[in-house]
Amino acid sequence: MPHLNRRQAMGRIATGTAISSIITTGLLPNTANAQMQFPMMPFGGSRSGAEFPAAGQKLNLIDVPLLNGKTFLAKQAKDQILVIYWWASWCPFCAVQSPLMEKLWLANRNKGLQMLTFSTDSRKEAAVAYIQKKSFTFPAAFMTPEMELKYPKPRGLPSTAIVGRDGKVIKIEAGMMNEFDVEDIAKLI
């Protein structure tokens, strides 16, 4: 394998090259074993059949109950950059991206950034325990069937959507974002 700089290596991880290399080199004998370790239910697109608006389309926001008992109010995102992030407690790529999202949130929440994250875990308790264990403070909700109709998860996990101050989707990123990608979000603020 050729020598890779840090950005190239992170890019390969984000695109899944690392997982496919593990499988093809025999570290994981086949995809079935990988699926056993990383349950596939949340990896696909929305279970509801709804689709997240494409770049350039308006996203209609609704209020969302958060895991900490508070509520994300749709009006909070007015004239702000909004980052919507889907994650799961069991997802190894989310374990890399979530601390980057927390860092983004802490540095920019008072500078024009709003964030709404959704746990795609099968149990709400798993999401709450993970948030508490990691001491994440970004606004986190649990993906219910009702929420999935309004905020359908794009294909891939983690997934990130960026919504502009005008309420239109700027970008949807399926798969893990690296530190450089997350730094690019801060430049929009």
Side-chain angles (χ1 to χ4, degrees):
M1 177 178 269
H3 178 73
L4 302 174
N5 67 35
R6 184 175 178 177
R7 188 173 191 124
Q8 290 168 322
M10 291 300 287
R12 287 202 178 179
I13 290 170
T15 60
T17 305
I19 292 291
S20 63
S21 296
I22 289 170
I23 293 169
T24 58
T25 58
L27 294 175
L28 277 176
N30 59 44
T31 306
N33 284 346
Q35 289 174 354
M36 287 170 46
Q37 290 184 355
F38 307 111
M40 295 304 285
M41 184 223 19
F43 266 112
S46 165
R47 289 172 286 195
S48 67
E51 290 191 28
F52 197 81
Q57 293 182 335
K58 183 133 176 95
L59 174 65
N60 295 316
L61 301 174
I62 63 166
D63 296 350
V64 177
L66 300 175
L67 294 173
N68 63 6
K70 296 181 181 179
T71 300
F72 173 86
L73 301 173
K75 66 183 180 184
Q76 290 173 223
K78 185 175 172 36
D79 299 323
Q80 306 278 309
I81 296 294
L82 173 64
V83 174
I84 303 174
Y85 171 57
W86 293 264
W87 57 274
S89 64
W90 53 263
C91 168
F93 299 112
C94 302
V96 174
Q97 184 173 332
S98 292
L100 300 175
M101 301 306 277
E102 175 71 6
K103 184 178 174 183
L104 176 72
W105 171 244
L106 291 174
N108 296 285
R109 64 184 175 187
N110 295 321
K111 298 178 183 176
L113 174 78
Q114 285 296 318
M115 188 176 288
L116 176 58
T117 74
F118 288 99
S119 164
T120 62
D121 284 289
S122 58
R123 291 182 19 255
K124 185 177 184 178
E125 298 78 21
V128 171
Y130 185 76
I131 288 285
Q132 290 174 346
K133 178 181 176 186
K134 298 294 185 177
S135 300
F136 291 141
T137 62
F138 50 65
F142 184 69
M143 184 56 75
T144 63
E146 177 187 85
M147 286 298 109
E148 193 165 5
L149 289 172
K150 296 296 183 180
Y151 297 97
K153 184 183 82 58
R155 190 160 184 78
L157 194 64
S159 292
T160 308
I162 304 161
V163 181
R165 297 178 195 283
D166 60 359
K168 292 182 180 176
V169 176
I170 296 173
K171 182 178 183 178
I172 301 170
E173 190 75 38
M176 188 183 86
M177 297 178 78
N178 62 42
E179 63 186 288
F180 304 107
D181 298 324
V182 175
E183 287 170 5
D184 286 345
I185 295 172
K187 293 175 186 174
L188 296 171
I189 300 167

